[in-house]
Amino acid sequence: MLTTVFAGQAEYFSGAITSGARNANLNAIQANSIYLDKALNEKDTETFHGMNTNWRHVAQIDTDSVVGSTNIMVNATEMKIEDFYKSTEGKIEKRGENNYILHIDEHENYLTSSLNKDKNIIENKKIKYIMAHKVSKRLFKIKHKDDEVIVTKDHSIIILRDDKYIDIKPSNIKEKDKIILYKNKITLIEDFEVQDLGIQEEWVYDIEVEDNHNFFGNDICVHNSLYMSVEPLIIKKFGGDYENNISNDRLLEFTNNFIEKVSLPVTYKSLTHQSDTINAFLPEKLIEDAEIVADCFISVAPKMYFCRKLQEDNIKLAKPKLKVTGLSMIRATTPKFFRKELSSAMDILIDGDLPKVIDYMKDVKVRTNEQMPSQICINQGVSSLDYDWHENDKKFKKWVKEKKKWLGAPMNSRASLIHNKYINDKNIEGIKEIEAGDKIGFIYMKEPNITGSNAFAFNNEKVFEYGLDRFIDRDLMYTKQFEGNIKLITDPIGWDLTPQEDLIDEEEW
């Protein structure tokens, strides 16, 4: 199977040209394009002979904007985005009525704060160009206390959901999502509101930021993107059994030809035509940079996929390499044992071999029972241990005067305090108490157990030599840290991980 993910030099565009997704049910968006239909009819070369207008898989998603009064950081100075557009020198391209792009000279070095989602850090990244256009669109306000940003209905906000950064439209934000606020440090905000401001006529602006493709508007992180899928084309050319008959090199050649001769010129023409109604990226920049070609691709949601790369930046790789985008399957806190096994499982998942995935998961579950606590524990820090033990209800808690109520300790704090209580009650020597700010190993425990808790933290594996090892809930650690991460992929694409022998035959029953 062959997939291409590509971005313009401005890298506002991220798309997928897909051939064969097996059971992966790719989530590329389907839309009509009279330009592509016409282009395919006009092509009469050997490469594209026989294609017709029955194929209509083009995704065209605007890359959105914020209102002109939005403050952004430019070289450590806060300024309105419209003022940045008006005061910056460069070549202005008119792309339609009230629709402009200001090309910043490549020698200029305007930097803005941007979120690196993979590393979870803020980076200063170069602004490549500024877009300005007048729209009549529905606007949304995302507000937290005195911080707010107003965006068009299509503008993506970067939020944290289930420990993953994802880009999402304002109307699709859910109750427990967290927006990303940046004021000298990253803060995750759950206490915010989304207001529908209705349709308004407004000048709106956008900037293209290298590498991370996001910026902070009024301290709130925003993003943009676009997808495209053309799977039926390869089937039209080579037939449905192409994977068994056509080499990856030939498919790679075909895909690159299609990008160069059909897709990019058509995308340029189509987006130019639609520039009055959507805020697209800079079309001619798209021609210059095909980002990824992969032989296998699984997408579980927009901007959440993983693939096996064959080609990157128009250079064929000596060895295929996995790329994961938007899926936080392996994090800094992931236990050492499961980190390695998840990497191996992804190699199997990418080939779509469900029985092999199930067998591998069964093997990992067995081997989980053989691991030392340090290999299967969650690695994290503990920030506060300012809680007291209350014998009456067997809990660690503290009185919060401002809220006039008792608050129980968070789980990692509670687990650390349980550790300290345990070594003191048992008079265990040679093991230090856990202190606030320490790095800990966190592990789930079976109940009932001698600690009286379903969670336990440790800073020295020796503590398990005193009778605790038999209470470690290895099944739960497996479920949460391995199986749960596998299901981030398999559940959205409809794969049933239940082993066949575990299913009951109705006639036998």
Side-chain angles (χ1 to χ4, degrees):
M1 146 183 6
L2 198 69
T3 300
T4 301
V5 178
F6 59 99
Q9 184 168 332
E11 294 183 326
Y12 248 72
F13 180 87
S14 106
I17 295 179
T18 306
S19 64
R22 291 194 175 94
N23 298 321
N25 187 24
L26 298 183
N27 284 290
I29 302 156
Q30 297 183 357
N32 291 334
S33 170
I34 58 174
Y35 292 110
L36 186 56
D37 292 343
K38 187 172 185 294
L40 293 179
N41 277 331
E42 290 175 350
K43 291 292 174 185
D44 195 27
T45 64
E46 179 183 355
T47 304
F48 301 109
H49 181 70
M51 297 178 184
N52 60 34
T53 60
N54 292 333
W55 180 80
R56 295 176 179 273
H57 291 60
V58 176
Q60 296 178 14
I61 310 169
D62 53 274
T63 55
D64 341 297
S65 303
V66 297
V67 296
S69 60
T70 303
N71 286 320
I72 62 173
M73 295 298 294
V74 181
N75 292 343
T77 301
E78 188 174 74
M79 63 189 308
K80 290 181 173 60
I81 193 169
E82 64 179 338
D83 291 342
F84 179 51
Y85 174 80
K86 292 174 182 177
S87 64
T88 302
E89 294 185 1
K91 178 183 176 182
I92 295 180
E93 174 192 359
K94 185 174 182 179
R95 303 184 59 253
E97 184 178 359
N98 295 324
N99 196 334
Y100 304 92
I101 294 178
L102 191 154
H103 302 263
I104 299 175
D105 189 287
E106 63 179 9
H107 299 297
E108 296 288 350
N109 198 36
Y110 293 110
L111 302 178
T112 192
S113 303
S114 182
L115 174 68
N116 184 320
K117 294 187 287 184
D118 295 328
K119 297 180 180 179
N120 194 31
I121 59 173
I122 299 299
E123 299 175 329
N124 287 321
K125 288 294 183 178
K126 189 173 182 178
I127 300 172
K128 293 186 173 182
Y129 61 80
I130 319 165
M131 306 171 69
H133 65 136
K134 194 173 185 179
V135 300
S136 180
K137 275 191 174 185
R138 185 174 298 279
L139 301 181
F140 285 84
K141 178 190 290 185
I142 291 84
K143 180 177 176 62
H144 166 69
K145 296 183 180 179
D146 295 330
D147 297 297
E148 62 182 48
V149 63
I150 298 174
V151 301
T152 56
K153 66 176 183 178
D154 307 301
H155 201 123
S156 295
I157 302 295
I158 296 183
I159 59 101
L160 189 75
R161 177 184 295 171
D162 299 328
D163 294 325
K164 299 182 293 291
Y165 286 121
I166 62 173
D167 316 321
I168 198 165
K169 303 295 185 286
S171 58
N172 294 328
I173 293 176
K174 296 182 179 180
E175 183 177 349
K176 292 187 178 181
D177 290 343
K178 297 178 182 179
I179 60 172
I180 293 85
L181 197 68
Y182 179 61
K183 292 184 176 182
N184 297 320
K185 68 175 183 178
I186 298 175
T187 306
L188 301 175
I189 302 296
E190 191 171 349
D191 178 23
F192 68 93
E193 57 181 319
V194 179
Q195 300 175 7
D196 186 340
L197 303 181
I199 296 175
Q200 298 186 26
E201 188 172 274
E202 185 82 49
W203 275 95
V204 292
Y205 300 80
D206 206 353
I207 57 176
E208 163 55 12
V209 181
E210 68 177 0
D211 297 334
N212 294 335
H213 319 301
N214 64 66
F215 62 96
F216 288 86
N218 292 344
D219 300 323
I220 297 173
C221 199
V222 294
H223 194 275
N224 33 43
S225 67
L226 183 145
Y227 291 93
M228 177 183 290
S229 172
V230 293
E231 174 182 3
L233 291 175
I234 288 179
I235 295 176
K236 282 283 185 182
K237 173 64 180 175
F238 299 109
D241 196 31
Y242 68 87
E243 291 184 79
N244 296 322
N245 300 318
I246 308 299
S247 69
N248 273 340
D249 284 346
R250 179 67 181 100
L251 292 176
L252 198 59
E253 177 188 6
F254 173 86
T255 302
N256 287 329
N257 270 330
F258 178 80
I259 293 171
E260 178 185 354
K261 297 179 180 180
V262 179
S263 179
L264 297 182
V266 167
T267 301
Y268 175 84
K269 187 174 182 179
S270 175
L271 289 173
T272 299
H273 174 75
Q274 298 188 44
S275 62
D276 287 339
T277 56
I278 66 172
N279 176 27
F281 51 84
L282 188 60
E284 69 263 25
K285 293 294 185 182
L286 179 61
I287 298 173
E288 299 177 9
D289 186 11
E291 186 180 344
I292 295 170
V293 178
D295 67 339
C296 296
F297 182 101
I298 294 180
S299 174
V300 301
K303 308 182 187 81
M304 297 173 67
Y305 66 87
F306 77 104
C307 62
R308 186 167 57 210
K309 299 183 292 185
L310 300 179
Q311 175 178 299
E312 186 169 23
D313 296 330
N314 296 313
I315 299 174
K316 185 178 178 181
L317 301 178
K319 183 179 179 181
K321 184 178 180 181
L322 282 179
K323 173 182 173 64
V324 182
T325 296
L327 293 167
S328 299
M329 294 178 64
I330 303 177
R331 299 177 289 274
T333 58
T334 302
K336 296 177 183 177
F337 172 70
F338 296 127
R339 180 187 298 270
K340 175 178 176 293
E341 300 304 330
L342 283 167
S343 296
S344 298
M346 290 172 70
D347 285 328
I348 303 173
L349 278 166
I350 199 70
D351 285 322
D353 191 336
L354 182 55
K356 191 173 180 180
V357 171
I358 292 173
D359 287 344
Y360 188 76
M361 292 178 68
K362 289 168 63 178
D363 178 65
V364 171
K365 188 171 185 179
V366 170
R367 289 187 289 116
T368 298
N369 292 320
E370 303 168 356
Q371 303 304 310
M372 297 293 289
S374 60
Q375 296 300 305
I376 60 172
C377 69
I378 300 168
N379 304 290
Q380 58 188 39
V382 58
S383 59
S384 174
L385 296 178
D386 187 21
Y387 300 86
D388 297 317
W389 176 253
H390 289 252
E391 188 65 33
N392 290 339
D393 48 12
K394 306 293 184 183
K395 288 183 178 179
F396 283 100
K397 57 185 182 180
K398 67 179 176 181
W399 176 256
V400 180
K401 185 177 180 180
E402 295 79 8
K403 296 185 177 182
K404 297 182 179 179
K405 65 178 182 179
W406 290 96
L407 288 183
M411 183 163 286
N412 63 338
S413 297
R414 174 166 60 86
S416 299
L417 290 165
I418 288 292
H419 167 274
N420 293 347
K421 184 176 184 298
Y422 177 76
I423 64 172
N424 288 323
D425 288 348
K426 299 294 183 181
N427 295 314
I428 299 175
E429 297 180 354
I431 298 177
K432 296 181 179 179
E433 287 191 359
I434 294 173
E435 298 179 354
D438 283 353
K439 297 295 183 182
I440 61 169
F442 175 95
I443 206 157
Y444 288 101
M445 306 288 282
K446 299 174 184 176
E447 292 186 293
N449 63 68
I450 55 180
T451 71
S453 173
N454 67 341
F456 190 78
F458 63 97
N459 53 11
N460 187 331
E461 204 168 41
K462 184 180 177 182
V463 73
F464 291 98
E465 297 176 4
Y466 295 86
L468 283 180
D469 188 78
R470 69 182 187 275
F471 295 111
I472 295 175
D473 196 338
R474 286 180 166 82
D475 284 347
L476 186 57
M477 295 304 298
Y478 163 86
T479 299
K480 286 182 172 291
Q481 296 299 310
F482 183 78
E483 183 181 273
N485 283 311
I486 297 296
K487 286 186 174 182
L488 289 176
I489 294 173
T490 59
D491 281 357
I493 62 179
W495 285 4
D496 184 1
L497 294 176
T498 307
Q500 288 298 115
E501 59 265 31
D502 291 348
L503 300 177
I504 298 175
D505 187 279
E506 290 185 2
E507 293 184 2
E508 293 181 1
W509 178 259

